[in-house]
Amino acid sequence: MTQELTFAVIIIGILHSGIRLATPYLYAGLGEMFDQRAGVLNLGVDGIMLMGAFFGFYAVYQTGNAWLGVAAAVLVGIVMGLLMAVVSISFQAEQGISGIGLYMFGLGLSSLLFKTMLGTVEGVQGFSELKFQITQNFSLYDIPIIGPIFFNHSVLTYGAFLLVPISAYVLNKTTWGLKIKAAGQNPEAADSLGVNVTTVRYMTVILGAALAGLAGASLSISLLNIFQENMTNGMGFIAVALVYFGSWRPYGVLAGALLFSTVNALQLWAQVLNLPIPSDVAVMLPYLLTIIALAMPFRRAAQPAALTRPFTRGDN
Amino acid sequence: MKKRYLLLSLLLIVALTLVACGGNAATKAPKPEPTKSSEAHPTKASEPPVASGEKFRVAVVLPSTITDMAWSQALIDSLKRIQEKMGGEDKMEIAYTENMWNVTDAASAIRDYADGGYNLVIAHGTQYGASLFEIAPDFPDTSFAWGTATDTGKDKGVENVFAYEARAEQGGFVLGVLASALDKTGVLGVVGPVEAGDAKLYIDGFAAGAKYDKPDVKVNISYTGSFGDTALAAEAANTHISAGADVLTGSAQQVVGAIGVAKEKGVLWIGTQSDQSSLAPDTVVASQIYVWDGPFQDMINKHMSGVMGGETYALTLENGGLVLKYADWADKDAVAKAEQVKQMIVDGDLNVMDVIEGKAAPAMSGDEVSTGATRFEYPAEIKPVRIVMVLPSTITDLSWSQSLYDSVKDLQDHYGKDVIDFAYTENMWNVTDAAAALRDYADSGYDIVIAHGAQYGDTLFELAPDYPDTSFAWGTTTNFGADEGVTNVFAYEPRADQGGYVLGVIAAKLTKSGVVGVVGPIDAGDAKLHVDGFVAGVHATKPDAKVNISFTGNFGDTSLAAEAANTQISAGADVLTGSAQQVVGAIGVAKDKGVPWLGIQGDQSSVAPDTVVATDLYDWRPTILAMIQARSGGVLGGKVLQLTLANGGQRMIYSDKLPADVVEAAKAAEKGIIDGSIEIKAEPR
Amino acid sequence: MTNSNLLPSGLPRIESLEMRNITKRFPGVLANDHINFDVKAGEIHALLGENGAGKSTLMKILYGLYQPNEGEILLNGQPIEIQSPTDAIRHGIGMIHQHFMLVETLTVAENVALGLKSPREPVMDLNAVSARIVDLADKYGLQVDPKAVINDLAVGQRQRVEIVKALYRGAALLILDEPTAVLTPQEVEDLFVIFRQMAKEGHALIFISHKMDEIFALTDRVTVLRDGKVIGTVQTAETSKRELARMMVGREVIFERDKKPLPPGEVRLKLENVNVRNEAGFPILKDINFEVRSNEILGVAGVSGNGQRALAEAIAGLQPVSSGKVIMDGEDVTHLPPAEMYKIGFSYIPEERMHDGVIKDFSISDNMILQDHDRPPFSRGIFLNFKAIEQHSRNLVRAFRIKTPGLKTPVKNLSGGNIQKLILARELARHPRVLIAAQPTRGVDIGATEYIHARLLEQRENGLATLLISEDLDEVTSLSDRIMVLYGGEIMGIVDADAVSIEDLGLMMAGERRMAPAG
């Protein structure tokens, strides 16, 4: 009577979940990676995500157009990023504190807006999952195993994964990436060579925040298609941890996000399959792994030397 | 020595000057009446005051004119009636300032009146509140009043302010019924000012009333964003008529513009606040009129007996503050229908607020299968109580916290804010923060402090002995601190296994694959009970069905819950259930995949009305009332209060999407649980 | 000189650069007062002056970091505007900073390419950059690997990367701001070969230094600044150390210390097999054995970062000793906390004086009693005795010639030399038996340096045992009785100050081990 759970079904389930769940972490984590490579620690990611999630959702709720939701989320991310940049770069406020402030602001404002503009949790039709129809009777989704794992995601999920090589290329192969790395490692040196450290940091913080906004939208208009107060539930902080985990490298962040989300998917399946692991231990697993990885001393060595240090010309 | 005499004589001079300035009235007013007489009158408000002789002076600051046929006029009309009753202008003076839309100007007018020795200064608008609370303490011998409001400033230490409000939704509801009965096109139009205060109440009530009569009637609402923009109101009326409306209503002084349009186009108008029939006798079919006589007469009486403020008044249909007036040419059947509904409201059979908030069935439902569950009834009278809730999530979480909040709010709506006063703090997932909040609340004198989560227990037992007059409550638990020697703690426990069992029966009936899934937060508390009952219910109905359970380890991780739902569906589940605020994520997935969802704790149908087919709703009202009544009997704690199907603490809601046989089986299970013929046994997991 | 007008890098030479009547005012300070300064192609021109004389300001104006209030800059006779480093680079002016301006985690090629437009913008073309680096390196004899990461390079190599960076940007004129500060004597000599070669090829070089020997070894002309004014410009070959010193400070400076020969007294401080590990667990001091006696100054030489700081802090009780013993006057004081150390006659003048030596926001008198505020005569019970404190502070300020507006002035408003005098005054007033002086004259002007040196020698005669840690070899050799060289946390050798040559010290500082003299 009950459906037979084959090994294939389980593997597909875990990997498919792992890929989906990684989406918000990738956007937020890659954005934060740029921030930190330029020397700015933005702890407000979670707040920006919430704002992005809300505005993305609200735009779709009002217009029905999912792409407008993306635009709204990115836009609100840019505004939040600008706020962070002004406070932490121009006014040189302590970055940890201003980031937490930004988080509280995003958390509070998104809740307030939700209460006044929506009032109750409702659903929208956001991005649906693509199946890659090639011909009338064949889609990539039909490929056994591979299909259901890789060709059954929304465009925002593919976007998140595509962002990894793009980020790596920008960081390692472009002059802009070089400026970012220099601004985060030795801003005085960058300045002495005519690099405008302030501009570089502004751009990266705004980019990072726009991606955080997109991360929020990926929750509210792609993965879940709802908005709820504090729906990120601290994902933004996990994203910051993933940057450390990934040693400030795009592929490192990818590895971290995938590990984190796949272990999460794994523990869900472990419960469904009644494996003899207490659920409390299972749910701890992803966090445990993150902490272990963060404790490794070699990771700290890769930390941008000027992280959290404001820059003023002639300060040396 | 010399200095002291100087000071004394100085004081004497000041006192004499004050008396002189205050004239006749001031010499007697400060003298408080004996207690017995002050207790004697407030109940019957319309009686003229016992005290007589000197002139009582009332000043009013109005946002519009006394001829606005709306808000301001209603008040002045009432005051004039009181004046007449008190014996004319010699006994009572009415001074007023109109068009005080500028709050700063209004503030100086209020201060001027208070300075001028008026006994009662009325600030007739919500916008004046902030100024009032600044001014009032400077004039302790003057009474102030403001509305629409319920805040008398007690918690700010202000003692000489009255507050008043009009429960306009009640008349609005009746007029909504009337409008829909009169309507032929199926469209009604509303011209509102701003979405706040009594206008919002009225319009909400009107819309609910219209739908109560005819569920498919269309109520088009437009807010102009202003109180006085007649042209815009006229334009709004035009728009409504173009959109097919044949009965219009609206509020604030702006509506005179709309009434003109209604008259011109030959559609009906329904008024509120003041009687607007004089403007267009053949157009205004009915009005709700605010009769402020009772409250203001009572304020005057209170003032004379030395009580300067602190009271909150509400105009209701029941107390005669809201009067409905129908045109004599109005359709008799429609009026009769409206009057019938009005009687239900007056008798307490229909709570308009509940209908508006979607908690009560909007229309009379058909024949119910009796399950033996207690139908919830409001006790006639309860002692005033101050309640505070420390919540782990938000009041919009559609689950644990919201269910409690909604219940307490409902009680407040029923009994009024002067009987049930409550406060809450959300998102107290940090136990240390919660502990601080709990202590703060206990310090500020709340009667019942609810720590809404099992994690708060340790804190509570530390706290409770320090506040022996305060009742504390927490759950899910059965531990009220007997071992700790604490006597003022209630423990509460939703027996979610009962509702869970019923949901399990439904799941077993619905599943085709033979696999059902649970998305739980952690394996503890009511979530655990829910799962235990659910599994028992499934297996009792379909022994070979498989129940897959995943706990996310988290209450709020929506995306993880969504992923868990995905996992369940991949593993073959075709019916899902789950608890905690995280489940909105899972419901979204269920909706996408076309899998029915069985809800618990809060009503989650707003997320996906077609997906949420049944809900085990926590109704905390009996529990809260049990605490209040225990306190009245001097019992401050030491009890376990359970939310069961039998005592109405859990209510099953079945969607009309559910097949009749499934509902029948579910109701049979309810009945069995209530009469004890079904015993729920948790299976080992 | 070549007869071509082009430099080996393929760019035109700067035949002359002239700064005329440059004046720069900061609030309350006239940093540059109508300064005239010029440099020609093929010339190395030294800029000499005490701290605050206006050298850095002048060079920052030339490099576009500051704008002058008055004056003009002429390039090959034409007036030019320099608004930013980018302008300066465009005009062929490069600067080698005192602290390396390198991004340590990037490669040589990336550091060189940073801030430059790529031909394939926004994509970098590191191959083209590398090829040009190799080309430049060949022409100037600067061996660098374009693919090497800066972190893996030795200090001397990093200096070469800085030069390549400037040349790559077309620098015809180079400002060298104390380029030898962190180099060993051998590395300095290698660098000078490169500088001479560059000058010979037609570059113009401005060389900023405090070190007389280097000025005489390298430069063609010297301009001396004092108090924001030019005191004079002289041909290096026609002047002497003594004359330059007089120009700098306005009076004669005694270079040879009058160090009385004294028989060493009893052993005051002794270290036995001391090992220290850093937070990450790596050894930073290995098997340290030495002793310091009464009436003796033991100099500790070495390139900074070779364990000097750990040594001082281990003795002072600020850094845990993982094994071995620190013995003072025969007692084991290895794990004694700093406060206890101070009570038994130990004093420490720390390296980071603004950070560790004083509390910046406190007044002079408060800083004077930091360690002793809880003891008579400065306290009575739990109260401070302000009269005694003031008396004590006033005496010290007078005795050590500390220039200050008043005793209540916060220390952060004093100049570096005066802060150092304050610390020295405080520590010596406690009549210690053992003193560690770490970099006591770093960043201190020549007048104050002289004064501090005299005081240290005076205390030596009074029986003090001093451990003098300094990167200034002149200071170490002129004050010390014996010199110990640290390299990589190990002692390379302990030698008599009179018997050792600068060359030998340089070799030891570069890691060559010498036998310790007997005793």
Side-chain angles (χ1 to χ4, degrees):
Chain A
M1 174 115 202
T2 51
Q3 189 190 315
E4 216 38 56
L5 280 177
T6 63
F7 187 65
V9 169
I10 296 166
I11 291 298
I12 290 169
I14 291 174
L15 295 182
H16 184 248
S17 290
I19 290 171
R20 266 172 54 99
L21 263 183
T23 310
Y25 293 115
L26 278 176
Y27 282 121
L30 290 171
E32 177 71 12
M33 180 207 69
F34 277 112
D35 287 4
Q36 295 200 11
R37 282 309 281 263
V40 182
L41 173 72
N42 184 356
L43 286 181
V45 184
D46 208 54
I48 303 171
M49 282 178 73
L50 282 167
M51 290 292 282
F54 177 79
F55 278 94
F57 177 86
Y58 195 72
V60 179
Y61 180 74
Q62 289 296 341
T63 66
N65 185 333
W67 287 107
L68 278 181
V70 169
V74 168
L75 211 65
V76 74
I78 288 173
V79 173
M80 296 283 281
L82 199 61
L83 196 67
M84 176 72 190
V86 169
V87 171
S88 65
I89 302 171
S90 295
F91 297 150
Q92 311 207 340
E94 216 281 317
Q95 289 175 8
I97 309 286
S98 46
I100 293 294
L102 194 71
Y103 159 64
M104 306 281 262
F105 174 71
L107 174 65
L109 188 58
S110 63
S111 287
L112 178 71
L113 290 172
F114 167 76
K115 279 188 177 132
T116 53
M117 292 163 83
L118 290 170
T120 180
V121 180
E122 286 179 72
V124 290
Q125 186 58 50
F127 289 101
S128 46
E129 282 151 3
L130 307 175
K131 303 255 193 251
F132 299 93
Q133 206 70 34
I134 305 292
T135 66
Q136 199 126 37
N137 345 317
F138 177 73
S139 66
L140 292 182
Y141 176 74
D142 296 332
I143 307 171
I145 314 258
I146 305 289
I149 294 176
F150 295 106
F151 301 112
N152 188 20
H153 295 284
S154 92
V155 64
L156 288 189
T157 300
Y158 294 113
F161 280 85
L162 202 61
L163 197 58
V164 177
I166 293 176
S167 300
Y169 188 83
V170 168
L171 205 57
N172 296 322
K173 300 287 177 194
T174 67
T175 50
W176 202 54
L178 191 62
K179 286 179 194 171
I180 290 173
K181 289 188 283 187
Q185 189 67 34
N186 191 339
E188 291 78 18
D191 182 62
S192 77
L193 295 175
V195 173
N196 189 332
V197 174
T198 304
T199 307
V200 169
R201 287 189 170 177
Y202 256 84
M203 300 291 278
T204 44
V205 168
I206 289 171
L207 170 75
L211 289 176
L214 196 54
S218 75
L219 281 175
S220 69
I221 63 175
S222 171
L223 296 190
L224 306 173
N225 293 324
I226 54 133
F227 180 84
Q228 193 191 29
E229 291 174 69
N230 194 18
M231 74 187 294
T232 55
N233 201 49
M235 275 184 166
F237 293 97
I238 296 287
V240 175
L242 287 178
V243 175
Y244 283 75
F245 180 96
S247 305
W248 293 267
R249 284 196 298 266
Y251 288 101
V253 173
L254 172 69
L258 274 179
L259 182 69
F260 188 78
S261 57
T262 309
V263 172
N264 243 326
L266 196 71
Q267 65 94 350
L268 290 175
W269 274 95
Q271 296 186 50
V272 167
L273 297 173
N274 266 321
L275 297 187
I277 313 169
S279 67
D280 310 303
V281 175
V283 300
M284 246 162 53
L285 220 55
Y287 298 92
L288 210 63
L289 267 173
T290 312
I291 291 168
I292 290 171
L294 287 178
M296 306 242 178
F298 66 87
R299 299 207 174 265
R300 274 189 301 235
Q303 176 165 339
L307 186 59
T308 75
R309 184 155 60 82
F311 171 74
T312 336
R313 180 174 283 175
D315 222 21
N316 45 346
Chain B
M1 273 296 128
K2 224 175 159 186
K3 254 189 193 160
R4 230 158 97 188
Y5 281 119
L6 193 72
L7 197 72
L8 270 175
S9 40
L10 212 71
L11 275 174
L12 201 67
I13 293 166
V14 172
L16 282 172
T17 323
L18 279 179
V19 168
C21 288
N24 255 353
T27 45
K28 273 216 166 166
K31 206 170 94 192
E33 293 277 321
T35 346
K36 54 174 169 40
S37 65
S38 77
E39 267 179 0
H41 33 142
T43 36
K44 267 248 165 177
S46 47
E47 223 170 79
V50 193
S52 58
E54 65 291 304
K55 197 183 339 179
F56 193 89
R57 304 175 70 209
V58 178
V60 195
V61 172
L62 299 163
S64 50
T65 65
I66 60 162
T67 55
D68 66 354
M69 306 205 80
W71 175 245
S72 296
Q73 185 166 0
L75 176 66
I76 290 296
D77 287 351
S78 291
L79 289 175
K80 286 200 170 137
R81 279 193 294 273
I82 295 173
Q83 186 182 45
E84 211 162 296
K85 234 177 246 171
M86 285 181 66
E89 283 179 23
D90 293 343
K91 298 289 174 198
M92 176 176 157
E93 177 194 337
I94 304 172
Y96 56 83
T97 310
E98 295 172 306
N99 285 326
M100 283 286 110
W101 29 261
N102 180 323
V103 175
T104 325
D105 293 348
S108 49
I110 294 168
R111 192 174 279 279
D112 283 347
Y113 280 128
D115 246 347
Y118 282 86
N119 305 86
L120 173 64
V121 178
I122 305 168
H124 197 43
T126 314
Q127 63 270 41
Y128 307 137
S131 327
L132 203 63
F133 288 127
E134 267 178 35
I135 297 168
D138 299 344
F139 300 94
D141 293 337
T142 306
S143 289
F144 295 85
W146 73 303
T148 340
T150 55
D151 181 8
T152 65
K154 246 184 219 159
D155 50 345
K156 301 177 196 72
V158 180
E159 285 173 346
N160 53 336
V161 171
F162 295 106
Y164 54 88
E165 63 166 347
R167 299 301 298 270
E169 80 277 9
Q170 296 190 343
F173 192 86
V174 177
L175 295 176
V177 171
L178 178 79
S180 124
L182 292 170
D183 155 73
K184 290 180 184 69
T185 60
V187 183
L188 306 175
V190 183
V191 182
V194 295
E195 197 171 356
D198 67 322
K200 179 179 173 3
L201 288 175
Y202 173 73
I203 292 167
D204 286 351
F206 183 85
K211 295 227 188 277
Y212 178 85
D213 183 60
K214 278 198 206 126
D216 52 350
V217 72
K218 210 160 169 241
V219 184
N220 292 329
I221 301 169
S222 51
Y223 284 100
T224 61
S226 137
F227 290 91
D229 195 336
T230 351
L232 196 58
E235 210 39 58
N238 263 321
T239 312
H240 283 311
I241 294 164
S242 309
D246 60 347
V247 183
L248 297 183
T249 189
S251 117
Q253 64 268 30
Q254 57 168 358
V255 297
V256 292
I259 297 171
V261 172
K263 190 175 159 191
E264 200 182 299
K265 299 276 168 83
V267 301
L268 298 175
W269 177 266
I270 293 173
T272 183
Q273 295 181 326
S274 249
D275 181 0
Q276 293 155 352
S277 58
S278 63
L279 199 63
D282 300 332
T283 303
V284 179
V285 63
S287 295
Q288 165 175 248
I289 303 162
Y290 293 177
V291 180
W292 295 107
D293 304 32
F296 284 95
Q297 184 69 68
D298 192 58
M299 286 179 213
I300 292 170
N301 296 351
K302 283 231 163 63
H303 180 89
M304 288 178 156
S305 65
V307 178
M308 294 294 150
E311 200 74 36
T312 302
Y313 301 90
L315 299 185
T316 63
L317 289 172
E318 195 181 354
N319 67 18
L322 300 174
V323 170
L324 298 176
K325 190 184 159 196
Y326 308 96
D328 44 16
W329 47 264
D331 182 271
K332 293 286 165 292
D333 294 345
V335 171
K337 212 168 181 181
E339 280 296 291
Q340 189 194 338
V341 170
K342 179 193 160 189
Q343 201 52 49
M344 284 168 71
I345 295 172
V346 170
D347 294 348
D349 293 339
L350 195 154
N351 183 326
V352 176
M353 225 53 215
D354 278 1
V355 178
I356 291 172
E357 284 167 9
K359 277 193 291 262
M364 259 174 274
S365 45
D367 40 358
E368 284 275 325
V369 177
S370 171
T371 56
T374 318
R375 255 197 79 199
F376 180 75
E377 274 170 25
Y378 297 99
E381 220 169 282
I382 58 170
K383 270 199 175 170
V385 67
R386 297 180 70 210
I387 301 175
V388 68
M389 300 170 266
V390 170
L391 304 170
S393 50
T394 68
I395 60 163
T396 57
D397 69 353
L398 293 179
S399 56
W400 177 246
S401 297
Q402 183 169 3
S403 64
L404 177 65
Y405 170 84
D406 284 349
S407 297
V408 175
K409 181 80 174 58
D410 177 83
L411 290 175
Q412 184 186 56
D413 289 342
H414 182 82
Y415 290 105
K417 290 185 180 162
D418 42 348
V419 177
I420 292 196
D421 172 24
F422 76 89
Y424 60 90
T425 306
E426 297 174 301
N427 282 326
M428 284 286 115
W429 26 261
N430 181 324
V431 175
T432 325
D433 293 345
L438 288 169
R439 191 169 280 279
D440 283 348
Y441 282 128
D443 261 337
S444 30
Y446 281 90
D447 302 311
I448 301 178
V449 176
I450 304 176
H452 199 42
Q455 64 270 43
Y456 306 137
D458 291 344
T459 309
L460 216 57
F461 290 133
E462 266 178 36
L463 206 64
D466 298 345
Y467 302 92
D469 297 335
T470 306
S471 291
F472 294 86
W474 71 302
T476 304
T477 183
T478 53
N479 176 10
F480 49 80
D483 297 342
E484 281 87 353
V486 179
T487 56
N488 55 338
V489 172
F490 291 108
Y492 54 76
E493 179 188 50
R495 288 300 304 269
D497 50 338
Q498 299 189 347
Y501 186 94
V502 179
L503 295 177
V505 170
I506 298 172
K509 286 273 181 192
L510 290 177
T511 180
K512 288 184 184 69
S513 66
V515 182
V516 295
V518 183
V519 179
I522 58 170
D523 197 4
D526 67 322
K528 178 186 187 321
L529 288 172
H530 164 229
V531 176
D532 288 344
F534 187 78
V535 173
V538 170
H539 287 164
T541 315
K542 199 179 230 179
D544 58 348
K546 198 158 173 286
V547 184
N548 284 333
I549 303 156
S550 29
F551 287 103
T552 60
N554 204 305
F555 292 90
D557 195 335
T558 336
S559 55
L560 195 56
E563 220 38 65
N566 264 320
T567 305
Q568 294 284 4
I569 293 167
S570 304
D574 61 352
V575 183
L576 293 180
T577 186
S579 65
Q581 65 267 31
Q582 57 167 357
V583 296
V584 290
I587 296 172
V589 171
K591 182 183 161 193
D592 280 353
K593 302 273 165 86
V595 170
W597 176 267
L598 306 172
I600 186 166
Q601 296 176 324
D603 182 358
Q604 293 141 359
S605 55
S606 67
V607 182
D610 297 339
T611 302
V612 180
V613 294
T615 301
D616 170 20
L617 181 71
Y618 290 1
D619 185 345
W620 296 90
R621 291 177 299 181
T623 311
I624 304 289
L625 286 169
M627 291 184 212
I628 295 173
Q629 277 157 348
R631 278 182 64 85
S632 304
V635 178
L636 300 189
K639 271 187 175 178
V640 180
L641 303 167
Q642 289 190 328
L643 285 75
T644 63
L645 287 170
N647 69 14
Q650 287 177 72
R651 256 191 306 136
M652 299 306 301
I653 304 172
Y654 305 109
S655 137
D656 47 14
K657 300 281 178 306
L658 223 46
D661 63 314
V662 177
V663 177
E664 216 166 282
K667 287 196 170 162
E670 272 194 75
K671 194 160 187 284
I673 293 167
I674 291 166
D675 67 22
S677 61
I678 294 177
E679 199 184 328
I680 303 166
K681 279 206 200 86
E683 294 175 23
R685 281 190 266 130
Chain C
M1 273 192 220
T2 53
N3 41 18
S4 148
N5 253 358
L6 293 181
L7 296 166
S9 57
L11 288 148
R13 313 180 351 171
I14 289 180
E15 294 301 340
S16 73
L17 182 124
E18 202 177 333
M19 300 179 82
R20 267 194 208 157
N21 281 322
I22 300 289
T23 299
K24 177 71 184 173
R25 288 180 208 95
F26 292 109
V29 184
L30 189 58
N32 283 171
D33 184 3
H34 296 92
I35 287 186
N36 288 299
F37 177 79
D38 74 291
V39 61
K40 298 181 189 67
E43 181 193 44
I44 304 179
H45 192 153
L47 200 52
L48 184 65
E50 290 190 293
N51 286 317
K55 308 181 301 265
S56 311
T57 307
L58 188 68
M59 289 302 111
K60 280 180 176 167
I61 288 170
L62 184 55
Y63 196 59
L65 291 164
Y66 291 155
Q67 300 306 310
N69 299 101
E70 286 171 40
E72 57 180 348
I73 300 171
L74 302 172
L75 184 78
N76 296 331
Q78 300 295 313
I80 53 165
E81 287 280 314
I82 303 175
Q83 305 275 4
S84 67
T86 318
D87 284 351
I89 292 165
R90 199 159 40 79
H91 286 299
I93 299 167
M95 185 157 179
I96 309 287
H97 297 266
Q98 187 172 2
H99 308 282
F100 292 146
M101 288 294 181
L102 293 171
V103 183
E104 296 82 356
T105 49
L106 299 181
T107 65
V108 171
E110 283 173 326
N111 265 288
V112 171
L114 180 60
L116 293 179
K117 263 218 150 26
S118 158
R120 290 164 55 203
E121 193 75 23
V123 181
M124 292 190 290
D125 189 352
L126 287 181
N127 287 334
V129 174
S130 300
R132 184 148 160 70
I133 291 172
V134 171
D135 180 49
L136 281 174
D138 280 351
K139 284 184 176 140
Y140 287 90
L142 299 153
Q143 282 91 353
V144 282
D145 173 9
K147 293 200 167 55
V149 176
I150 302 297
N151 263 333
D152 300 337
L153 298 182
V155 180
Q157 289 173 299
R158 293 186 191 191
Q159 188 69 278
R160 287 202 280 276
V161 176
E162 286 283 22
I163 297 167
V164 168
K165 231 169 71 183
L167 291 174
Y168 191 98
R169 286 170 161 67
L173 183 152
L174 270 178
I175 303 163
L176 307 162
D177 186 4
E178 299 197 37
T180 61
V182 286
L183 303 185
T184 63
Q186 275 73 25
E187 283 173 328
V188 170
E189 193 39 53
D190 289 349
L191 190 67
F192 282 7
V193 170
I194 295 166
F195 288 158
R196 288 191 199 102
Q197 172 71 19
M198 286 172 70
K200 214 173 123 201
E201 302 280 7
H203 285 272
L205 277 75
I206 301 171
F207 183 78
I208 302 171
S209 181
H210 286 123
K211 299 179 187 168
M212 293 281 186
D213 290 338
E214 294 183 351
I215 285 171
F216 280 95
L218 186 66
T219 68
D220 301 312
R221 280 197 294 164
V222 186
T223 293
V224 180
L225 296 185
R226 192 170 76 221
D227 295 334
K229 292 190 185 72
V230 173
I231 298 303
T233 301
V234 292
Q235 297 292 323
T236 314
E238 294 166 8
T239 185
S240 66
K241 280 187 189 181
R242 203 168 282 272
E243 186 190 351
L244 288 181
R246 196 181 55 234
M247 286 165 77
M248 250 165 85
V249 298
R251 61 189 162 84
E252 299 268 344
V253 179
I254 309 148
F255 269 92
E256 294 307 312
R257 297 273 159 230
D258 184 18
K259 190 168 70 187
K260 280 187 200 151
L262 287 173
E266 54 198 292
V267 174
R268 289 277 181 225
L269 178 71
K270 187 172 181 186
L271 269 70
E272 286 180 0
N273 290 316
V274 168
N275 282 280
V276 172
R277 289 169 189 280
N278 69 4
E279 285 154 13
F282 295 108
I284 47 175
L285 282 182
K286 288 173 236 166
D287 294 323
I288 301 295
N289 284 293
F290 68 85
E291 52 188 44
V292 192
R293 291 165 181 269
S294 186
N295 296 17
E296 181 187 49
I297 294 179
L298 176 64
V300 179
V303 176
S304 75
N306 275 293
Q308 295 94 320
R309 187 171 181 156
L311 177 65
E313 293 191 342
I315 297 168
L318 293 162
Q319 169 108 23
V321 172
S322 50
S323 70
K325 269 188 203 162
V326 179
I327 296 161
M328 208 175 119
D329 286 331
E331 270 182 61
D332 185 347
V333 297
T334 314
H335 299 293
L336 232 46
E340 295 298 313
M341 290 294 287
Y342 281 120
K343 281 186 191 149
I344 60 170
F346 169 81
S347 264
Y348 177 35
I349 299 172
E351 181 178 333
E352 300 283 336
R353 55 176 172 267
M354 279 307 251
H355 191 260
D356 300 335
V358 290
I359 299 178
K360 284 189 281 186
D361 294 305
F362 279 22
S363 70
I364 291 178
S365 25
D366 289 346
N367 269 294
M368 284 288 189
I369 54 149
L370 276 185
Q371 304 104 319
D372 299 315
H373 65 272
D374 56 349
R375 257 175 281 171
F378 307 129
S379 69
R380 277 181 303 207
I382 59 164
F383 299 103
L384 288 174
N385 182 352
F386 288 106
K387 227 174 228 161
I389 293 168
E390 200 188 316
Q391 190 58 45
H392 175 72
S393 306
R394 177 159 298 134
N395 289 344
L396 288 180
V397 164
R398 206 172 291 147
F400 281 78
R401 290 191 255 149
I402 299 168
K403 283 180 205 152
T404 168
L407 294 177
K408 295 289 158 211
T409 307
V411 159
K412 64 181 174 190
N413 293 351
L414 297 186
S415 74
N418 281 308
I419 293 178
Q420 193 67 320
K421 283 193 208 162
L422 184 155
I423 296 170
L424 190 71
R426 180 182 75 203
E427 296 306 322
L428 295 184
R430 308 176 68 249
H431 305 297
R433 282 171 294 151
V434 173
L435 170 74
I436 297 182
Q439 320 291 356
T441 60
R442 178 195 280 174
V444 170
D445 60 46
I446 255 181
T449 299
E450 195 193 343
Y451 184 79
I452 290 168
H453 286 173
R455 283 307 176 105
L456 288 175
L457 287 174
E458 177 189 291
Q459 292 297 319
R460 166 179 171 266
E461 282 165 36
N462 293 346
L464 182 69
T466 305
L467 188 69
L468 169 71
I469 300 173
S470 176
E471 281 166 40
D472 183 345
L473 275 187
D474 279 344
E475 181 172 79
V476 173
T477 48
S478 62
L479 295 183
S480 310
D481 296 283
R482 292 182 301 146
I483 299 173
M484 170 167 92
V485 180
L486 282 179
Y487 177 83
E490 291 182 76
I491 297 176
M492 290 296 110
I494 301 176
V495 293
D496 280 334
D498 301 334
V500 70
S501 67
I502 291 284
E503 288 68 33
D504 281 344
L505 280 178
L507 287 169
M508 284 161 78
M509 284 162 71
E512 198 162 302
R513 204 180 289 268
R514 290 288 157 93
M515 290 298 289

